[in-house]
Amino acid sequence: MRSAYSGTLEAEIARLNDLGLAELRHVWKERLGTPPAVTSTELMRRWLSWELQAQARGGFDVTMRRRLRQLCKAFRALPPSTRLSDIGPRPGSLLAREWNGVTHRVMVLEEGFAWNSQKHDSLSEIAFRITGTRWSGPRFFGLRQQRKS
């Protein structure tokens, strides 16, 4: 049986779908403190939804937190031999990026990418068509971290 608070939480999370990145950051700041440096509206919306649910319902239980610590320790002791950044997105993956208030979605194909019902050879080509300036496509779509100066 659902509590009255559960319904309120569900409504609050549903309202997040109508908010842009700046508004989501504002909600995060009001409810949780300093927001993370996320540039994807969709990722911020999902993360904020999870955090609000965890705040209301308690988040991970003790067993899950213990298991996550074990996995983290094992990963640090023996990291995978292939860096994830070398693998790249798999065919069928959907990449999304908001630019000037418009969300652009790119489908990863076996060979190339699909955007706006057209096939493109590179993400950089798509980033250029979206922005009008030269970008690293993987960086534009958040697949590579920005280097700190």
Side-chain angles (χ1 to χ4, degrees):
M1 187 166 188
R2 294 183 185 180
S3 67
Y5 185 77
S6 177
T8 304
L9 176 64
E10 289 173 0
E12 183 176 5
I13 290 172
R15 282 192 297 271
L16 296 178
N17 289 325
D18 299 328
L19 303 180
L21 186 59
E23 297 163 314
L24 291 167
R25 288 179 195 270
H26 180 73
V27 171
W28 188 298
K29 187 171 185 175
E30 282 183 337
R31 297 288 306 272
L32 303 166
T34 305
V38 173
T39 59
S40 164
T41 303
E42 185 61 25
L43 178 59
M44 178 65 103
R45 184 175 294 119
R46 289 173 186 235
W47 192 352
L48 180 55
S49 297
W50 189 93
E51 291 291 345
L52 292 174
Q53 290 176 69
Q55 186 180 51
R57 299 183 178 142
F60 291 128
D61 62 15
V62 174
T63 305
M64 180 58 75
R65 287 194 304 268
R66 183 182 309 121
R67 180 68 179 136
L68 289 171
R69 277 193 302 273
Q70 290 170 345
L71 290 170
C72 186
K73 187 176 179 180
F75 179 82
R76 285 187 183 132
L78 188 63
S81 60
T82 303
R83 291 180 29 219
L84 292 178
S85 61
D86 293 339
I87 296 171
R90 294 184 179 183
S93 298
L94 186 65
L95 308 175
R97 169 70 194 261
E98 183 177 338
W99 183 259
N100 290 338
V102 177
T103 301
H104 297 273
R105 289 177 172 70
V106 174
M107 175 68 73
V108 180
L109 305 173
E110 287 289 336
E111 292 185 24
F113 304 90
W115 173 70
N116 278 355
S117 303
Q118 294 180 340
K119 185 180 177 292
H120 298 273
D121 293 328
S122 75
L123 285 175
S124 297
E125 177 187 347
I126 295 169
F128 175 75
R129 291 179 184 268
I130 291 170
T131 66
T133 58
R134 297 288 173 197
W135 277 79
S136 159
R139 183 170 160 200
F140 180 79
F141 284 98
L143 300 176
R144 298 229 169 81
Q145 294 294 321
Q146 182 176 356
R147 291 184 182 167
K148 295 183 180 181
S149 308

